[in-house]
Amino acid sequence: MPKNLKFSTTKKGPMRPSTALALLALLAVSASPARADLWAVVTNTGSNTVSVIDVATGTVINTIAVGTAPIGIAVDRRLNRAFIANSASASLTRINLANDLVDSISMPGSLPESVGVADKGDLVVVSSMEFVSVPPSSAGRVYILGAGEGGLTLDSSILVEDDPEGIVVFEESNDFWFASDLKVQEVDLTGLPIVAADVITGIDGVDDYEHVAVRADKAVLFATNAAANQVEVISLSTEVILASVTTGNDPEFVATRPGSNDVYVSNQAGGTVTVFSGVTPFGVIGTVTLTGATPKGIAFLPDGSEAWVAMAGSGRIIRINTTTRTEIAPILVGTSPEEIVILDVPTGAELVNDPGTLTFGSTATSSPPLVKPFDLTNTGRSVATVTGYTITGVDAGDFTAPTGPLPTIQPGETVTLSVSFSPSDFGTRNAILSIASNDPLSPATLTLVGIGP
């Protein structure tokens, strides 16, 4: 059920050159070394760490200490930040993957399990099991946290039924779904703080829902049903169960393969992965028997050529060739790996401006200029050097670029800059600020909009 996205109007990714220039840049990149590395990031529940793996070499390149018993992980792919749910220490950890800096926030009384990222990384959703003294005797809580540059903040939370676990966030409609013991439930994020009434629907079950995944077209949700050894296929338009797909023993995690209709399910008690079609009639395609014990989280390479499975019982990542559905050489990580994500992390500088549009509102031609700030973040792993600003467009003269020394931005760091607006005439005034730098995709651009009286 679509809704207006409350926050997305001010949160845009970096705006890049025209299509023609972007094509030329793509051709240039294809003839030179890749501008980003693929990393896999794994939570090790028994080691209280996160392993970072270079996908190209299949080696662990970093181990980062987090809270106690980390389980869930989600990433803000725009700013390259990872969020970790630490179940035993009742906390959430954020890792800046560009510089390995870590910050965290305590969530007293909680047992955080799963994480989702919303609103271009500014909001984090955390599910937690809790035990309360009033019915229901076993309940849980969903937390909404802010994830701004100033630190993690707890915005609000609501008590929900059963034991909430896996989360999938729908940024387009500003809501999210999560699995709990007896329901798959939807929560509305249109307004904050969230309240009990924001739990807008629930699909009842009689068993043990664990985790959820969504089909690429956002029309169907897949929910693992551990007690029944099956995956429920749920229509998001009618909110009814379309089919039940039989899996192996104790299915827990479910993931959709990029570029195909295949759905992968980890069966933790059976040591297998079930593969089935995500379209009608949702038939099982095959089963992969894994070396090791207790398969958990699943992630795919961006081209869908490999599935990576965290094996909690054997401290390794099993790689599956998705064409032949056979194992590739495993990768040793920490103790009891639980969840895994795979993402691109730039090797050089990469500048992201936030927001993508500065809207100044209305001011008189004789009034002092209006000044608006914006953030410029280096999400890459090399130092970013800004070399200049250019304002273009029919009303370029109404706007003034940032002043002062041109910034040098360390990996993972953010600087705040300002643009001023002083209209020379009536009506809407428009321009573009271009920020030149050593980013291979330079310039980053910022849309400027103001109104004359």
Side-chain angles (χ1 to χ4, degrees):
M1 49 181 68
K3 310 176 189 69
N4 293 327
L5 178 56
K6 177 178 179 182
F7 306 96
S8 65
T9 55
T10 58
K11 294 291 180 184
K12 306 286 185 183
M15 302 184 70
R16 297 304 189 191
S18 67
T19 302
L21 291 176
L23 179 57
L24 291 173
L26 179 60
L27 292 173
V29 168
S30 66
S32 61
R35 63 177 299 273
D37 290 334
L38 269 181
W39 284 3
V41 187
V42 185
T43 54
N44 301 307
T45 305
S47 303
N48 304 327
T49 61
V50 164
S51 294
V52 180
I53 302 169
D54 185 326
V55 170
T57 62
T59 57
V60 175
I61 57 175
N62 200 2
T63 300
I64 302 171
V66 291
T68 307
I71 296 181
I73 182 172
V75 291
D76 170 10
R77 297 177 186 273
R78 190 178 63 102
L79 294 180
N80 295 323
R81 312 283 170 83
F83 298 89
I84 316 296
N86 305 301
S87 60
S89 57
S91 63
L92 178 75
T93 295
R94 174 172 59 177
I95 304 172
N96 188 329
L97 293 172
N99 57 21
D100 299 337
L101 293 180
V102 173
D103 64 336
S104 62
I105 186 172
S106 178
M107 302 166 60
S110 66
L111 291 169
E113 295 193 27
S114 293
V115 191
V117 178
D119 187 34
K120 306 297 187 293
D122 269 6
L123 292 178
V124 181
V125 182
V126 179
S127 65
S128 169
M129 185 178 73
E130 296 184 4
F131 292 93
V132 297
S133 57
V134 296
S137 59
S138 178
R141 189 171 292 274
V142 171
Y143 292 84
I144 307 298
L145 297 98
E149 291 298 325
L152 299 169
T153 57
L154 180 60
D155 178 273
S156 52
S157 68
I158 53 172
L159 193 69
V160 295
E161 296 182 47
D162 308 314
D163 173 12
E165 292 195 50
I167 292 171
V168 61
V169 175
F170 288 67
E171 291 200 36
E172 296 87 347
S173 57
N174 206 30
D175 60 355
F176 67 92
W177 289 77
F178 67 91
S180 61
D181 278 352
L182 300 180
K183 285 186 177 183
V184 178
Q185 301 181 71
E186 182 185 13
V187 178
D188 182 7
L189 278 176
T190 302
L192 293 176
I194 58 171
V195 295
D198 290 326
V199 182
I200 55 180
T201 191
I203 298 170
D204 292 325
V206 294
D207 298 299
D208 182 11
Y209 290 122
E210 295 285 343
H211 287 269
V212 288
V214 64
R215 200 168 68 187
D217 62 3
K218 306 295 193 296
V220 170
L221 193 76
F222 305 103
T224 53
N225 186 334
N229 293 332
Q230 61 192 29
V231 170
E232 311 297 359
V233 181
I234 300 168
S235 167
L236 291 177
S237 60
T238 61
E239 297 177 357
V240 299
I241 296 176
L242 300 176
S244 297
V245 180
T246 300
T247 64
N249 292 332
D250 198 9
E252 183 167 7
F253 287 87
V254 57
T256 56
R257 178 189 170 199
S260 80
N261 293 315
D262 293 354
V263 182
Y264 279 56
V265 184
S266 60
N267 306 302
Q268 62 175 348
T272 62
V273 167
T274 299
V275 184
F276 71 90
S277 172
V279 296
T280 305
F282 306 107
V284 173
I285 299 171
T287 300
V288 183
T289 300
L290 303 175
T291 302
T294 322
K296 294 276 193 171
I298 304 172
F300 292 90
L301 299 191
D303 63 2
S305 62
E306 292 182 16
W308 290 39
V309 184
M311 303 295 290
S314 51
R316 65 182 64 193
I317 302 299
I318 293 291
R319 302 155 61 195
I320 300 173
N321 181 315
T322 56
T323 300
T324 61
R325 299 192 193 96
T326 55
E327 287 187 16
I328 306 173
I331 301 168
L332 295 178
V333 288
T335 305
S336 300
E338 180 82 12
E339 292 197 34
I340 180 171
V341 294
I342 295 176
L343 74 161
D344 287 302
V345 179
T347 56
E350 181 174 79
L351 291 180
V352 175
N353 51 278
D354 186 15
T357 299
L358 278 185
T359 302
F360 289 84
S362 177
T363 184
T365 56
S366 60
S367 299
L370 294 178
V371 178
K372 287 278 187 178
F374 68 95
D375 288 338
L376 192 62
T377 300
N378 179 10
T379 63
R381 302 202 314 280
S382 296
V383 175
T385 302
V386 174
T387 56
Y389 310 108
T390 305
I391 296 181
T392 57
V394 293
D395 305 312
D398 290 359
F399 300 89
T400 302
T403 58
L406 296 172
T408 296
I409 310 173
Q410 297 299 316
E413 291 189 352
T414 298
V415 297
T416 300
L417 304 170
S418 297
V419 175
S420 61
F421 169 59
S422 183
S424 61
D425 206 344
F426 297 92
T428 302
R429 321 295 291 169
N430 297 281
I432 299 290
L433 171 67
S434 297
I435 306 167
S437 71
N438 62 333
D439 180 344
L441 295 183
S442 173
T445 59
L446 178 63
T447 301
L448 309 174
V449 180
I451 302 174

